């Protein structure tokens, strides 16, 4: 007795398949940890102490130092926020377009070209191997037989 899927099962399967497809394009993003792979860990993590430092014996007024720290931190924070608000989406669009083009070229041009070269090189390799086996192998076998009776003796004279 074979069990064929009912219309309801088929419909449920199609709905689940659509959810999987939708989820791959609208996956949830982590708003807390925005660098989960830590690709910018050492690059742009710049704090006040990394940029401005006063050695012993050369200190500004405490108020100036505190205000400088606050100015640096707040201006860096808001400048980044404003720049990302203005340019974030257009730049993301450009990067998405660029990586889509790179992916397209890789999938439709680079990999087929490499595969074509591999196929051609296998053909050339077989012809080269055939030539070596046909011409060089007998030649070097004959040389080996000619010089097989040569004996070399090494003597040290003092």
């Amino acid at each position: 007795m074979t069990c064929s899927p009912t219309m309801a099962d088929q419909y449920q399967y199609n709905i689940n398949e659509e959810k999987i497809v939708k989820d791959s394009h609208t996956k949830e993003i982590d708003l807390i940890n925005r660098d989960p792979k830590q690709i910018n860990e050492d690059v742009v993590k710049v704090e006040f102490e990394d940029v401005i430092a006063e050695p012993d014996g050369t200190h500004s007024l405490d108020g100036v130092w505190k205000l400088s720290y606050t100015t640096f931190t707040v201006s860096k924070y808001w400048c980044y926020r404003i720049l990302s608000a203005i340019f974030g989406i257009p730049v993301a669009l450009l990067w998405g377009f660029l990586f889509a083009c790179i992916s397209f070229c890789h999938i439709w041009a680079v990999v087929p070209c490499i595969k074509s070269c591999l196929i051609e090189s296998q053909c050339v390799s077989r012809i080269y191997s055939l030539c070596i086996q046909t011409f060089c192998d007998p030649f070097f076998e004959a040389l080996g037989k000619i010089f097989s009776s040569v004996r070399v003796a090494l003597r040290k004279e003092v």
Side-chain angles (χ1 to χ4, degrees), residues 9-142:
D9 292 336
Q10 200 72 352
Y11 177 74
Q12 186 65 31
Y13 174 76
N14 288 340
I15 289 175
N16 289 340
E17 189 175 289
E18 285 178 20
K19 284 181 183 176
I20 292 170
V21 171
K22 285 181 184 175
D23 287 343
S24 69
H25 296 294
T26 60
K27 76 176 194 177
E28 291 291 321
I29 59 170
D30 187 356
L31 294 176
I32 305 300
N33 182 12
R34 296 187 183 188
D35 190 8
K37 295 183 180 179
Q38 299 176 347
I39 62 173
N40 291 314
E41 189 66 28
D42 298 329
V43 181
V44 292
K45 193 175 180 181
V46 179
E47 299 297 330
F48 180 77
E49 297 84 12
D50 298 329
V51 178
I52 301 171
E54 293 180 329
D56 289 336
T58 310
H59 287 185
S60 62
L61 299 172
D62 290 346
V64 172
W65 185 252
K66 288 178 185 177
L67 190 58
S68 298
Y69 174 80
T70 304
T71 304
F72 177 88
T73 306
V74 171
S75 64
K76 183 182 88 156
Y77 176 81
W78 281 106
C79 185
Y80 178 79
R81 287 247 165 158
I82 291 168
L83 286 172
S84 63
I86 295 169
F87 298 111
I89 293 173
V91 170
L93 180 69
L94 289 173
W95 282 117
F97 180 74
L98 175 72
F99 281 107
C101 290
I102 290 171
S103 297
F104 177 82
C105 288
H106 189 76
I107 291 167
W108 292 99
V110 174
V111 171
C113 184
I114 290 171
K115 192 67 170 177
S116 172
C117 289
L118 286 173
I119 291 170
E120 292 300 320
S121 67
Q122 285 178 352
C123 179
V124 170
S125 170
R126 288 183 179 154
I127 292 170
Y128 177 76
S129 177
L130 183 64
C131 289
I132 293 296
Q133 289 173 357
T134 304
F135 300 111
C136 293
D137 282 357
F139 175 72
F140 286 110
E141 258 185 59

